[in-house]
Amino acid sequence: KKEYVISYGADTTLPKLLQDYKDPWADYQIDDRISVDDQFVFCGEGEMGNEGFIVKTDADNQINWMLFSTTSNPFIELTINNNIVYIKSTAGFFITLNVKTNEISILNNLK
């Protein structure tokens, strides 16, 4: 009976991460992937168990959008409906990603 919300930490770039952190790297595991209109969406988990990530790449597998969360638990499953990717967390909620606009939202219950 929990309700989850999205709060944004910061937008960043790889050069900015490398400048701000001595060691920004983490091991990760991809749990699911899906192809959408010459793009790919991946989801999975970081090395600590409480982390989850979502990555969208272009057809050449170059990252063009990503979300890394330290409080979401792993993201484990992807489904798509009308250009909206539904990303399931082991915490019991879904992130929705519009692959055309990169808009995200959170669903506490998928009906």
Side-chain angles (χ1 to χ4, degrees):
K1 304 266 182 207
K2 289 185 177 183
E3 189 166 308
Y4 297 90
V5 298
I6 294 174
S7 61
Y8 297 94
D11 290 338
T12 192
T13 64
L14 184 55
K16 180 87 168 110
L17 284 173
L18 292 173
Q19 174 186 331
D20 292 346
Y21 298 97
K22 288 170 72 176
D23 187 16
W25 310 111
D27 289 331
Y28 65 92
Q29 174 181 314
I30 295 172
D31 290 330
D32 201 2
R33 66 190 89 209
I34 195 167
S35 175
V36 185
D37 295 335
D38 295 326
Q39 301 176 85
F40 299 93
V41 179
F42 301 83
C43 71
E45 59 190 282
E47 61 190 342
M48 301 300 288
N50 60 323
E51 303 162 335
F53 72 87
I54 304 163
V55 174
K56 187 177 82 168
T57 67
D58 62 19
D60 295 321
N61 216 25
Q62 299 297 306
I63 295 173
N64 57 29
W65 183 92
M66 72 170 291
L67 175 141
F68 185 84
S69 172
T70 59
T71 59
S72 64
N73 287 4
F75 293 109
I76 56 169
E77 185 180 326
L78 301 168
T79 56
I80 186 160
N81 186 11
N82 295 328
N83 293 315
I84 305 293
V85 177
Y86 295 84
I87 305 110
K88 183 178 182 179
S89 168
T90 60
F93 66 90
F94 290 79
I95 296 286
T96 65
L97 168 64
N98 183 318
V99 294
K100 301 283 187 197
T101 66
N102 293 334
E103 269 185 63
I104 62 171
S105 62
I106 195 163
L107 291 175
N108 287 291
N109 294 310
L110 186 63
K111 296 180 181 185

